[in-house]
Amino acid sequence: MGAGTSSHIYEGNAPRLMAPSWIFIGFFLLAPVIMMAVYSFLTKEFRGGVICEFSLAAYDQFFFDRGLFGDEPPSIEWTYIGIFWRSIWQAGLATFVCLLIGFPTAWFIATRDRQSRSIWLFLVTIPYWVNLLIRTVSMKFLIRDTGPLNEFLLQVGVISEPLGLINTNFAVQLGLFYSYLPFMVLPIYAAVERYDFALSEAAADLYSGAWTTLRLIILPVVKPGIIAGCILVFVPSLGAFLAPDLLGGAKTFMIGSLIEEQFKGNAGNWPFGAAASMILLTIVLCILLVYARNQNKREIR
């Protein structure tokens, strides 16, 4: 059977062939988001859950403070905005640190021989063989006051008393970095692997310095991999709640923890949790739209 005949048969049955995929995507991906959007406009039920009455109270509670009894003039609710800002800062810093470590790591792997590359990629992905919760708890055990890290530093005399690493921003950053570093390494590795190293040799022949070659030749070529890696690290870091909960304290409360508290904690305010989720989703969508727009401009050029 020729290729043209196969293509004709596929086009005629395309809707039926795609139906299972669309049903799966619609039911398991779109339906939860739509349900969350609907919940954000409903009324809170006292013991958790929602009452089917339209209300903007969840969004109003997020952005405005009306006092303890709700009868004062509205003012900006900086508490939740501050949590959002802290989440963006923590996610951005984790992305930057992952980029600093991930780029040279990806470059190192991509410049090895083919057999060594497979081994290094295997080593990078090993942590993902274990559940994220177990990895985060293991990190907590490692850096606690009586953990192996402090015990080792005390034994070799580097420190005289345990480092207070747990329940700090550093601990949260360490957890995010450990969780999402492979998300930065793998896309950059894929971009570097396609890089034509003859360009660097040509630049060296023209007396270009290492920094100039990196800035004007290498980075523009591998830029799509860097951007993809930054998005893959920033987006899950923004909504992370395991690292802030297990490694951070009250001062490191992030938006993921806030949302979890509304559904599983004592707060029991489902509409507010849904509203916070929708605001977070909106931020992520804006980031992805900006990325897609830049990609389209680059392809047009």
Side-chain angles (χ1 to χ4, degrees):
M1 184 179 293
T5 306
S6 301
S7 176
H8 178 70
I9 293 174
Y10 173 78
E11 289 178 0
N13 294 284
R16 278 188 294 175
L17 293 172
M18 292 295 295
S21 301
W22 285 114
I23 292 173
F24 185 89
I25 292 172
F27 191 78
F28 290 105
L29 297 181
L30 295 181
V33 175
I34 294 172
M35 186 182 298
M36 197 64 64
V38 172
Y39 271 32
S40 70
F41 292 104
L42 297 181
T43 302
K44 170 190 175 186
E45 209 279 331
F46 181 71
R47 292 170 295 184
V50 295
I51 300 172
C52 292
E53 294 177 2
F54 177 79
S55 173
L56 293 174
Y59 290 95
D60 183 81
Q61 180 183 351
F62 190 93
F63 289 109
F64 299 107
D65 178 14
R66 297 179 185 273
L68 182 61
F69 300 103
D71 55 353
E72 297 178 10
S75 58
I76 300 296
E77 178 55 89
W78 293 108
T79 302
Y80 301 127
I81 294 176
I83 292 173
F84 244 104
W85 172 246
R86 185 186 306 128
S87 303
I88 293 173
W89 165 252
Q90 291 276 22
L93 187 58
T95 303
F96 179 69
V97 174
C98 284
L99 178 60
L100 283 182
I101 305 297
F103 185 84
T105 303
W107 184 271
F108 173 81
I109 296 174
T111 52
R112 302 303 99 184
D113 59 72
R114 188 165 296 279
Q115 187 175 2
S116 298
R117 291 181 205 174
S118 303
I119 296 174
W120 283 108
L121 288 174
F122 170 76
L123 293 175
V124 168
T125 56
I126 278 183
Y128 276 77
W129 296 16
V130 181
N131 183 275
L132 177 60
L133 174 61
I134 297 174
R135 281 184 279 142
T136 308
V137 171
S138 300
M139 180 62 69
K140 183 177 182 179
F141 171 79
L142 183 67
I143 64 174
R144 64 180 179 170
D145 291 350
T146 57
L149 179 62
N150 273 315
E151 290 291 338
F152 172 75
L153 294 177
L154 287 170
Q155 288 291 333
V156 298
V158 175
I159 57 176
S160 57
E161 57 183 28
L163 298 172
L165 298 177
I166 206 71
N167 295 333
T168 63
N169 286 325
F170 175 80
V172 175
Q173 282 298 315
L174 196 60
L176 295 176
F177 167 77
Y178 176 60
S179 299
Y180 301 118
L181 178 62
F183 288 177
M184 182 66 77
V185 172
L186 296 179
I188 296 178
Y189 163 76
V192 174
E193 193 183 33
R194 293 193 296 269
Y195 175 69
D196 186 356
F197 288 91
L199 295 174
S200 297
E201 296 174 2
D205 291 340
L206 296 173
Y207 302 103
S208 171
W211 169 246
T212 303
T213 303
L214 174 68
R215 185 168 55 89
L216 298 180
I217 299 177
I218 297 175
L219 288 181
V221 175
V222 301
K223 183 180 175 182
I226 294 175
I227 294 175
C230 290
I231 290 176
L232 290 175
V233 173
F234 181 79
V235 171
S237 297
L238 190 59
F241 67 92
L242 279 178
D245 275 4
L246 297 177
L247 302 176
K251 293 181 179 179
T252 62
F253 202 67
M254 291 174 63
I255 188 64
S257 305
L258 176 66
I259 294 171
E260 186 205 17
E261 182 72 17
Q262 305 308 313
F263 288 99
K264 296 177 63 179
N266 296 325
N269 192 341
W270 289 18
F272 182 75
S277 301
M278 295 312 299
I279 294 169
L280 177 63
L281 179 63
T282 302
I283 293 175
V284 171
L285 284 177
C286 289
I287 294 171
L288 295 179
L289 286 173
V290 169
Y291 170 68
R293 185 177 179 183
N294 290 336
Q295 280 292 98
N296 290 335
K297 286 182 178 178
R298 193 174 67 86
E299 290 175 0
I300 290 173
R301 286 199 297 265

